[in-house]
Amino acid sequence: MSHILKNKVLDDFILWSNLKNGDERSFSLLFEKYYRDLINYGNSLCPFAEKVQDCIQDVFADIWIYRSSLQDNVIVKAYLLSSVRKRIARLHERDYVFKKTTSTDVLEFLFDFSIENALVEDEVTAERVLYLNKLLNDLPGRQKEALYLRYHQGLSVEQIAELLDVNYQSANNLLHRGLLSLRKEWKGSIPLLILIYSGVL
């Protein structure tokens, strides 16, 4: 684990511990730290921005209300993303978008991958980038969501498995199949894995 990542985990651990002890400042810092990530992920699962914001507010309200009973050792970012996903699934159920189900696997992943314009140096490259975006966005929803969680949000395979409510092997298969499909179809000169691991995708 890198020094930066260790510090990030340590910071989250301290903030989470302080929050559990009723420290409002730590609660606010965690909200500010992860709000944008939660908004982006929530918007990928629900097309109604106001409802996504409400779900995130509800998640943090519950965290504060039930802070004394929260687990001590959690990966805060993974916990928050999972909580938002479950809240949106319940919202769908309540609004009768999906009838008689509480499973989070009914959620459609709506996120569109795109590569930053800064990488596009000429018309040919631009065309290849558009094609790569298309390949990514044509992947099955679960594969696309797994790639998003792995490379956009930096979650481990174990955390992705827990968030998607599948076993480790299933989560690993989603990532493997997604990358395999991309490698099979991608013909561009931009190294695919470099783009993915740089966080551009």
Side-chain angles (χ1 to χ4, degrees), residues 23-184:
D23 181 44
E24 294 184 15
R25 178 60 177 161
S26 294
F27 173 79
S28 297
L29 287 172
L30 282 176
F31 180 86
E32 294 167 4
K33 183 175 183 178
Y34 289 117
Y35 182 74
R36 180 48 50 192
D37 286 332
L38 297 176
I39 284 287
N40 290 338
Y41 185 50
N43 286 340
S44 75
L45 299 170
C46 175
F48 306 106
E50 290 185 2
K51 290 186 177 182
V52 170
Q53 293 173 17
D54 289 343
C55 286
I56 294 171
Q57 295 283 353
D58 289 344
V59 165
F60 275 92
D62 282 351
I63 286 174
W64 183 252
I65 292 170
Y66 302 109
R67 60 189 181 276
S68 61
S69 60
L70 295 172
Q71 294 182 1
D72 292 325
N73 298 318
V74 301
I75 304 300
V76 175
K77 186 176 187 179
Y79 177 88
L80 293 174
L81 289 169
S82 178
S83 296
V84 168
R85 195 179 203 278
K86 291 174 182 175
R87 178 74 63 168
I88 291 174
R90 288 200 294 270
L91 175 68
H92 281 313
E93 181 195 26
R94 189 179 68 216
D95 289 350
Y96 301 102
V97 175
F98 300 102
K99 298 178 180 178
K100 298 180 181 179
T101 180
T102 57
S103 175
T104 60
D105 62 8
V106 299
L107 295 178
E108 179 183 0
F109 191 65
L110 306 172
F111 181 82
D112 282 330
F113 286 95
S114 62
I115 296 176
E116 296 177 358
N117 292 333
L119 288 177
V120 181
E121 299 174 353
D122 54 56
E123 186 175 344
V124 174
T125 304
E127 290 178 358
R128 289 173 176 168
V129 164
L130 288 175
Y131 178 58
L132 179 54
N133 287 336
K134 181 180 185 303
L135 291 178
L136 282 160
N137 292 317
D138 284 348
L139 289 173
R142 296 280 273 184
Q143 291 179 20
K144 192 163 74 163
E145 185 172 4
L147 288 172
Y148 170 87
L149 292 169
R150 183 72 182 95
Y151 299 111
H152 264 262
Q153 298 294 351
L155 300 192
S156 67
V157 178
E158 292 88 347
Q159 292 160 5
I160 293 169
E162 183 175 353
L163 193 152
L164 296 181
D165 196 24
V166 297
N167 61 38
Y168 177 92
Q169 189 58 52
S170 295
N172 198 48
N173 288 344
L174 287 171
L175 291 165
H176 176 72
R177 288 169 186 160
L179 291 174
L180 194 63
S181 295
L182 294 175
R183 289 193 191 102
K184 180 179 178 181

Side-chain angles (χ1 to χ4, degrees), residues 10 13 16 30 49 72 78 86 118 171 189 196-197 201:
L10 179 60
F13 178 80
W16 186 257
L30 282 176
D72 292 325
K86 291 174 182 175
S189 60
I196 291 177
Y197 279 102
L201 301 184

